[in-house]
Amino acid sequence: MPADLVLASGSAIRATLLRNAGLSVETDPARIDEEAIRAALQAEGASPRDIADALAEAKAAKVSARRPGALVLGADQVLELDGVILTKPQDQADARAQIAALRGKTHRLLSAAVVCRDGEPLWRHVGQVRLTMRGVSDAYLDDYVARNWESIRESVGAYKLEEEGVRLMARVEGDFFHVLGLPLIELLTWLSVRGDIAS
């Protein structure tokens, strides 16, 4: 794999997934105003899928502009519940409210990735996972948020499926890598077809 695969993110889990797949990856977090982009797109009536895709592209394009010739991967994840997009919780009360809203319902996680070179998108994919949360008790919900706050504060929906958050779920339909925020299989397939990685 060329050493110029750059992840336009500070996400430790995404970097780990790529490295565990045998890729050489450098991280270079994009500094974009996600809230402003999301708000503008929502005001225009954009779908949650299009918002995830646009945020991933914005990250990849920004870093790509300062990394000539490099393949730059941008990724973003959007959680949608009954047409409403949830964002990272602001505090523990917000985290509790998000999980309470998800309890007993099915929501969608949209995991978008875009690869740019010299500011131009070369590849994109948006994966979807449907998750149904159990009707957990208020007591467990309070304890869960207090116990896991430092970990879940950066997660939409205030849970991590790869950690204790799996206990909140009754059913998960879709690719686990999409849950973790990266359509990894699709990315590896594309890199293989291009000849960037051995197959």
Side-chain angles (χ1 to χ4, degrees):
M1 182 69 211
D4 62 359
L5 178 66
V6 179
L7 176 62
S9 167
S11 167
I13 187 67
R14 289 184 181 116
T16 298
L17 289 173
L18 293 164
R19 290 180 180 129
N20 286 350
L23 304 185
S24 175
V25 179
E26 181 182 346
T27 60
D28 185 355
R31 305 292 181 210
I32 64 168
D33 189 340
E34 293 186 42
E35 292 303 317
I37 294 170
R38 185 181 294 112
L41 290 168
Q42 285 181 289
E44 294 172 3
S47 70
R49 182 192 185 286
D50 289 344
I51 291 171
D53 180 67
L55 288 167
E57 181 175 334
K59 293 174 183 179
K62 180 158 188 182
V63 173
S64 178
R66 64 179 182 245
R67 304 294 292 260
L71 286 179
V72 178
L73 171 65
D76 200 82
Q77 193 172 53
V78 168
L79 187 156
E80 181 263 326
L81 173 67
D82 299 330
V84 176
I85 293 176
L86 300 186
T87 58
K88 295 174 184 176
Q90 299 300 308
D91 51 33
Q92 290 191 34
D94 188 26
R96 190 193 186 288
Q98 287 195 26
I99 297 172
L102 295 168
R103 258 191 313 205
K105 296 180 181 176
T106 298
H107 63 277
R108 292 191 308 154
L109 274 179
L110 299 155
S111 181
V114 175
V115 175
C116 287
R117 173 177 276 149
D118 298 322
E120 294 299 318
L122 301 179
W123 174 85
R124 64 191 342 116
H125 183 82
V126 180
Q128 174 181 292
V129 182
R130 291 171 52 83
L131 301 98
T132 303
M133 194 174 281
R134 296 189 301 110
V136 297
S137 69
D138 286 342
Y140 177 75
L141 176 50
D142 290 339
D143 289 346
Y144 170 80
V145 170
R147 193 169 47 250
N148 293 283
W149 170 242
E150 287 307 315
S151 178
I152 63 175
R153 66 189 311 160
E154 294 298 318
S155 299
V156 293
Y159 66 83
K160 285 187 175 179
L161 204 65
E162 67 273 26
E163 296 177 2
E164 188 183 344
V166 70
R167 291 174 55 182
L168 301 171
M169 300 302 161
R171 186 170 62 252
V172 178
E173 303 167 79
D175 188 316
F176 186 63
F177 293 118
H178 294 175
V179 176
L180 298 180
L182 186 65
L184 184 61
I185 300 299
E186 294 82 359
L187 174 64
L188 294 172
T189 299
W190 178 72
L191 290 170
S192 177
V193 168
R194 279 173 48 90
D196 289 315
I197 59 175
S199 60

